[in-house]
Amino acid sequence: ARAMYGTTATLGIIPTGTQNNVGLSLGIPTEIPQAIALLREGKKLKVDMGIVRSGNTTMPFLEVCSVGLFTALFNSTDGIQHGDISRIGDFLSTLTSCCPSKIRLLLNDEHVIEGDGHAILISNMPYVGRHYQVGKENCYNDGLLDVLLCTDVSKLSLMVGYMLRKTETQDDQRVQHYKARSLVIDTEPAMPVMADGKDIEKGQVQIELRKHALSIMAGSPSSKTQQKKGEKLEKQ
């Protein structure tokens, strides 16, 4: 998606990853034959992308940019999800050593929010993490980013609520939820920054939305519904 950002090319997705949040968000089936068929039979969507700047790095992102605790824990959590139990020690060490930072958000160059907290999530897709729903079904082309500020939430609650179980932001009143076209994030001490799984330099984080910046072959809302039903049946 980063390579195709701003071009006339169209991205086709065959979801074979761990969580497949982009595929889920766009109604792309997890079964490979159906996903391939969608490359011919699906509909072309123009989706938004975010642009994050921090330090000397500028990077487009399709799914999510995270600042703070989730970023610090990403590598060990990803290893554990892929069966590397030796990363449990790294996970626990990082979790216990992470301290909250003073956070200042500037939304749309006019709205300032301040508080102490562990994490900020800036999402362009409705699903992130373990299929945690942060936005409406079509938020990938609504011209706005979903901004989640976790200030009054303990580290344990964040892990249980947002990494271990599937839920929605509306279920937790402790998470402040905003919509923005652009934002500036200052943290003290500086928190780690990541966009779509790629580490970025610490420092002031500037993010803006680029509307309809990428073409993707997508499915229908019914595909998304069937995928969620399949997950529930599998769990049962």
Side-chain angles (χ1 to χ4, degrees):
R2 283 192 293 270
M4 298 172 69
Y5 160 77
T7 72
T8 58
T10 300
L11 178 65
I13 297 175
I14 301 174
T16 60
T18 305
Q19 300 297 339
N20 299 316
N21 283 306
V22 173
L24 174 64
S25 298
L26 296 171
I28 299 173
T30 54
E31 297 81 6
I32 291 178
Q34 286 88 330
I36 292 173
L38 199 66
L39 301 180
R40 298 188 304 270
E41 304 164 0
K43 57 182 179 181
K44 184 189 295 186
L45 286 181
K46 287 281 192 178
V47 303
D48 304 334
M49 287 190 72
I51 302 291
V52 56
R53 297 180 179 89
S54 185
N56 295 315
T57 303
T58 298
M59 182 184 297
F61 66 93
L62 178 62
E63 183 183 345
V64 63
C65 177
S66 64
V67 180
L69 183 63
F70 297 129
T71 302
L73 292 171
F74 179 85
N75 289 326
S76 58
T77 303
D78 190 55
I80 293 168
Q81 286 187 120
H82 288 89
D84 185 1
I85 61 173
S86 68
R87 300 303 303 272
I88 293 176
D90 295 337
F91 175 88
L92 294 175
S93 176
T94 303
L95 179 62
T96 55
S97 62
C98 277
C99 297
S101 290
K102 294 185 180 300
I103 299 171
R104 183 182 187 273
L105 297 184
L106 174 63
L107 304 179
N108 299 325
D109 296 323
E110 58 183 10
H111 188 192
V112 176
I113 300 102
E114 296 180 328
D116 295 342
H118 288 285
I120 310 109
L121 288 176
I122 305 94
S123 180
N124 183 50
M125 288 284 160
Y127 296 98
V128 300
R130 283 181 50 80
H131 299 177
Y132 177 68
Q133 187 170 357
V134 298
K136 295 181 179 179
E137 296 293 342
N138 64 344
C139 66
Y140 45 74
N141 60 7
D142 64 355
L144 296 167
L145 295 163
D146 286 278
V147 182
L148 275 63
L149 175 60
C150 308
T151 55
D152 190 27
V153 190
S154 70
K155 289 186 288 186
L156 182 60
S157 294
L158 282 172
M159 294 305 98
V160 173
Y162 309 119
M163 298 184 78
L164 301 181
R165 69 181 176 89
K166 300 176 183 179
T167 183
E168 298 183 10
T169 58
Q170 293 85 352
D171 296 337
D172 197 333
Q173 300 302 314
R174 298 170 298 175
V175 178
Q176 300 175 51
H177 190 170
Y178 305 96
K179 304 280 282 188
R181 297 180 302 277
S182 66
L183 65 152
V184 179
I185 306 170
D186 288 291
T187 57
E188 180 59 42
M191 288 177 158
V193 186
M194 178 175 282
D196 285 351
K198 298 293 183 181
D199 289 313
I200 300 175
E201 297 174 66
K202 291 182 180 179
Q204 185 185 78
V205 181
Q206 302 176 41
I207 300 175
E208 62 184 49
L209 185 101
R210 297 292 173 85
K211 191 170 175 62
H212 296 173
L214 179 68
S215 295
I216 300 182
M217 293 301 292
S220 63
S222 60
S223 299
K224 233 179 301 185
T225 303
Q226 292 301 319
Q227 184 172 339
K228 296 294 281 185
K229 286 181 178 178
E231 290 171 357
K232 290 180 181 179
L233 289 174
E234 183 179 341
K235 185 175 180 181
Q236 291 171 357

